[in-house]
Amino acid sequence: MALRFKNSYSRQVEEFKPIDEGKVRMYTCGPTVYLFAHIGNFRTFIFEDLLRRYLKYKGYQVTQVMNITDIDDKIIRDSQKESKALKEFTEPYTKAFFEDINVLGIERVEHYPHATAYIKQMVEIVKKLVDNGLAYEVDGNYYFKISAFKDYGKLAHLDMEGLKPGARVASDEYDKESVSDFALWKAWDEKDGNIFWETDIGKGRPGWHLECSAMSMEILGEHFDIHTGGVDNMFPHHENEIAQSEGATGQKFVNYWLHSEYLIVEGKKMSKSLGNYYTLRDVLDKGYSGKAVRYALMATHYRQQLNFTFQGLDAAGNALERYNDFIANLKDFAGGESDGNASEIIEKAKSEFENALDDDLNISAALAAVFDLIRDINRLKAEDKLSAEERDSALETIARFDTVLNFRTESGGSLDEQVEALIEERNQARASKDFATSDKIRDQLLEMGIILEDTPQGVRWKKKV
Ligand code: AMP
Ligand code: ZN
C-alpha cells in the first residue's frame, strides 16, 4: 500500500505524492526560545521525527527545515523583564533545545534557521503583499487584510460567513472568535527597547506568522510538500502562513498539512501559560531516561491526545527494556537448527510494520508488529529452532525498524554523535551568517576537547591531545 496521510487542509486521508519524485521538502514549526521546551512540545517534535525517519525509511531524500523562533512578543516581554539583549536571552534556551533533542534521539534536520537572520526576506513579503492589495499600513504597522484573500480560513475550516471579523489584532496569538486582520510587521514601540530593525518598511520587527513564511519559502521554495506542527498552530499561525505565502506568490504554498494532538495533563493541554508542564530536565531528574520519554511520547498515534502520567513512563521504560534485551540476547545466541518458520515471521513483521506506518503513521500497530516479532523469535530461540542465519536476519530487521524508532539504548549520545551534531549546527549557523553562534559552538567543542579544522572537503575534527 502507498503511504497515506490525513491532510488537515482537506480533512481527508490522501496518498502522499511528492512534488519531485523521490524527494520530500518539509517544514516544521520549531521552538520559541524564551523558556526550556516542555515535553508537550517534544511530543510534537517526536511525531515530526517519526515522520521524517519513516520518509527516509521509504527511500525519500528529505530536506527538512525547523525554525528557531528567536523573536516574538513573549521573547521581547521576557528579555526586557530580565534586562537582557535579545541574543543573550535566547541563546541558552536554543542551546538547551539542541541538548534535549540529542537526549531524545531526535535526528538533526537539514536546516535550523533563526528568525532574526531572515528579516530581509520578511520585509520583501510585506512589500509584495502591499503591492498585491493584501496588506496595508497603519502608523508604521502592517496588517494582512483577510477579506481580500479568498481562501482565508480554509485550513482551520472557519465559517467566514458566520464570523464577524474584528478590525485588527496586533498580538501574535488569538483564538478563532477574534479572527481579524493580523500584524505582519509591528512598528517600534517604547516597550520594545532596543529590539528593532531599520528596514525599507520602517523601524520595527516582524509578526510571528511572517517569520515562518519567510524561512520556509527561502529555504524550501515557494511550493513544497509537507508542513507540520501541533494542532494549536493550525489557527491562527498556519492559516496566516498560507495567507501570507500564497498572497505574496500567487501559488499554492503546501500540499500536505499534518498536525499532532496535544500532550495533556489532567484533561488540560500541557502548556507554558497554564504552568502544568514538565521540561525534559524535570523528567530526567526523576530518573527516567531520554529514550523512555521518547517511547512514551511516540507510542500513541499523533492525532490522538496523549495523557501524560508517570505510570505511562514506567510502562514505556519496560517496553524499551524488552526491546533492548531482545537485541542483546539475540546477539549472544550462537544459533540452532532452523525449523523453517523464522523467515515467514520476519516477513510478516516487516509487512505489518510498513502497512501500519503507511497508514498515516499508525505507530501502535507498527509497535505491535515489532513486539510480535520479538515474542515469536524469542520462542524459536528458546526452542533452539533458530539458525545463525535467521538470527542475523532478525537482527537486521530490527536494526532497520530502529532507523525509524531509535529505541536502541546503546546508540545515541556517544561522543562522536554529539560532536557531529554540534558541527552540523555550526555549519547551519555559518550558512545563515550567524557567526556569533558558530564561534560559540567552536568554543563549546574546544571545551569538550575537540579541535575543528576547515579543509577543502569540509570541517574535520580531532581530539585535543
Ligand atoms: P512553541 O515553542 O510554543 O512555539 O511550540 C513548539 C511546538 O510544540 C509547536 O508545534 C506546538 O504546536 C507544540 N505544542 C505546544 N504545546 C503542546 C502540547 N501540549 N502537546 C503537543 N504539542 C504541543
Ligand atoms: Zn511556524
Side-chain angles (χ1 to χ4, degrees):
M1 280 289 265
L3 179 57
R4 281 109 56 217
F5 296 128
K6 175 138 183 197
N7 189 344
S8 309
Y9 197 89
S10 64
R11 302 240 169 125
Q12 304 291 320
V13 176
E14 297 173 9
E15 183 177 335
F16 175 66
K17 294 199 185 105
I19 297 166
D20 300 321
E21 175 123 17
K23 294 185 179 161
V24 178
R25 282 173 285 140
M26 166 158 104
Y27 187 86
T28 57
C29 289
T32 307
V33 282
Y34 75 112
L35 271 178
F36 293 110
H38 59 66
I39 56 173
N41 301 131
F42 286 120
R43 181 188 190 198
T44 293
F45 299 139
I46 282 179
F47 141 67
E48 287 152 349
D49 189 51
L50 171 66
L51 170 61
R52 165 189 176 78
R53 286 170 178 271
Y54 191 58
L55 287 165
K56 288 174 74 175
Y57 178 102
K58 297 283 285 183
Y60 290 108
Q61 186 195 319
V62 177
T63 307
Q64 187 178 0
V65 176
M66 178 185 275
N67 69 292
I68 305 291
T69 301
D70 60 352
I71 171 82
D72 87 331
D73 292 348
K74 290 175 289 195
I75 292 174
I76 293 181
R77 179 194 68 198
D78 292 358
S79 62
Q80 302 287 35
K81 228 186 269 170
E82 294 185 21
S83 314
K84 283 189 177 149
L86 200 58
K87 243 199 159 132
E88 185 193 358
F89 176 75
T90 56
E91 226 160 42
Y93 297 118
T94 310
K95 187 165 165 275
F97 173 73
F98 285 106
E99 286 165 7
D100 287 355
I101 64 173
N102 274 357
V103 171
L104 289 169
I106 293 177
E107 187 169 67
R108 295 293 169 121
V109 308
E110 288 66 28
H111 302 273
Y112 289 101
H114 288 61
T116 48
Y118 288 79
I119 303 291
K120 200 174 107 237
Q121 289 83 347
M122 295 173 203
V123 169
E124 287 309 310
I125 294 176
V126 175
K127 290 204 270 186
K128 274 193 202 154
L129 290 172
V130 172
D131 288 348
N132 295 349
L134 289 164
Y136 59 90
E137 186 246 12
V138 181
D139 299 333
N141 301 295
Y142 285 80
Y143 293 93
F144 188 94
K145 188 173 172 186
I146 59 171
S147 61
F149 183 69
K150 70 172 178 17
D151 287 338
Y152 196 82
K154 287 220 167 132
L155 174 67
H157 296 250
L158 301 183
D159 171 15
M160 295 301 284
E161 302 279 298
L163 282 168
K164 285 199 198 68
R168 279 190 289 275
V169 57
S171 62
D172 285 334
E173 288 172 86
Y174 50 92
D175 57 27
K176 287 179 194 172
E177 281 62 51
S178 43
V179 53
S180 317
D181 289 358
F182 59 91
L184 298 161
W185 181 262
K186 306 178 192 197
W188 180 81
D189 174 294
E190 243 164 56
K191 72 174 176 356
D192 297 342
N194 58 3
I195 302 173
F196 61 84
W197 283 264
E198 291 280 10
T199 73
D200 294 354
I201 55 171
K203 174 176 171 178
R205 50 139 180 143
W208 172 42
H209 317 299
L210 186 62
E211 299 177 9
C212 284
S213 284
M215 287 181 275
S216 60
M217 292 200 291
E218 175 72 17
I219 302 171
L220 296 174
E222 293 175 353
H223 176 46
F224 57 90
D225 298 293
I226 304 178
H227 196 313
T228 65
V231 275
D232 56 338
N233 281 167
M234 197 180 326
F235 188 86
H237 186 49
H238 291 163
E239 193 69 61
N240 292 352
E241 270 189 54
I242 295 174
Q244 296 160 157
S245 307
E246 299 190 355
T249 69
Q251 63 164 312
K252 191 173 167 102
F253 179 43
V254 167
N255 284 350
Y256 302 86
W257 288 89
L258 273 65
H259 292 99
S260 62
E261 257 298 344
Y262 293 139
L263 182 70
I264 57 172
V265 189
E266 288 165 3
K268 293 208 175 75
K269 173 192 174 193
M270 180 176 282
S271 72
K272 290 166 192 164
S273 53
L274 287 177
N276 61 346
Y277 66 90
Y278 290 100
T279 64
L280 178 62
R281 285 131 207 269
D282 295 335
V283 178
L284 299 179
D285 284 348
K286 289 185 189 289
Y288 293 94
S289 72
K291 287 282 168 98
V293 179
R294 175 180 180 85
Y295 191 105
L297 295 179
M298 195 196 271
T300 297
H301 192 279
Y302 75 92
R303 280 192 293 102
Q304 282 170 14
Q305 290 196 340
L306 169 61
N307 191 28
F308 174 75
T309 61
F310 285 101
Q311 288 96 308
L313 272 184
D314 290 332
N318 291 337
L320 262 189
E321 201 175 322
R322 194 138 178 261
Y323 182 93
N324 282 287
D325 285 354
F326 169 74
I327 297 168
N329 294 334
L330 196 56
K331 276 187 178 159
D332 287 345
F333 179 65
E337 182 88 19
S338 167
D339 71 353
N341 278 321
S343 65
E344 200 179 307
I345 290 169
I346 290 170
E347 281 317 308
K348 181 167 159 281
K350 269 193 206 156
S351 69
E352 286 180 1
F353 181 82
E354 289 169 16
N355 287 341
L357 292 177
D358 279 350
D359 179 17
D360 193 28
L361 303 176
N362 184 348
I363 186 68
S364 30
L367 290 177
V370 173
F371 284 98
D372 283 353
L373 173 75
I374 291 177
R375 183 199 57 213
D376 293 345
I377 294 292
N378 271 342
R379 199 190 57 234
L380 290 182
K381 181 166 134 283
E383 294 169 359
D384 234 9
K385 289 178 180 161
L386 188 74
S387 69
E389 208 176 280
E390 289 166 339
R391 171 203 62 201
D392 291 345
S393 163
L395 282 169
E396 268 167 37
T397 305
I398 206 114
R400 179 132 168 76
F401 291 167
D402 203 65
T403 63
V404 179
L405 304 171
N406 196 16
F407 291 159
R408 291 279 296 277
T409 44
E410 77 256 44
S411 66
S414 73
L415 177 67
D416 287 12
E417 283 186 23
Q418 263 184 43
V419 171
E420 296 293 346
L422 281 167
I423 290 176
E424 183 48 37
E425 205 182 311
R426 180 169 169 268
N427 289 342
Q428 300 293 348
R430 278 169 29 139
S432 53
K433 305 213 174 356
D434 179 1
F435 297 113
T437 303
S438 102
D439 288 348
K440 256 216 151 91
I441 296 172
R442 179 184 282 269
D443 292 346
Q444 193 183 340
L445 285 164
L446 255 181
E447 272 171 37
M448 292 164 68
I450 303 295
I451 298 170
L452 295 185
E453 292 175 322
D454 290 307
T455 73
Q457 288 77 36
V459 181
R460 294 241 178 87
W461 62 275
K462 62 179 186 193
K463 289 196 182 116
K464 216 164 32 185
V465 281

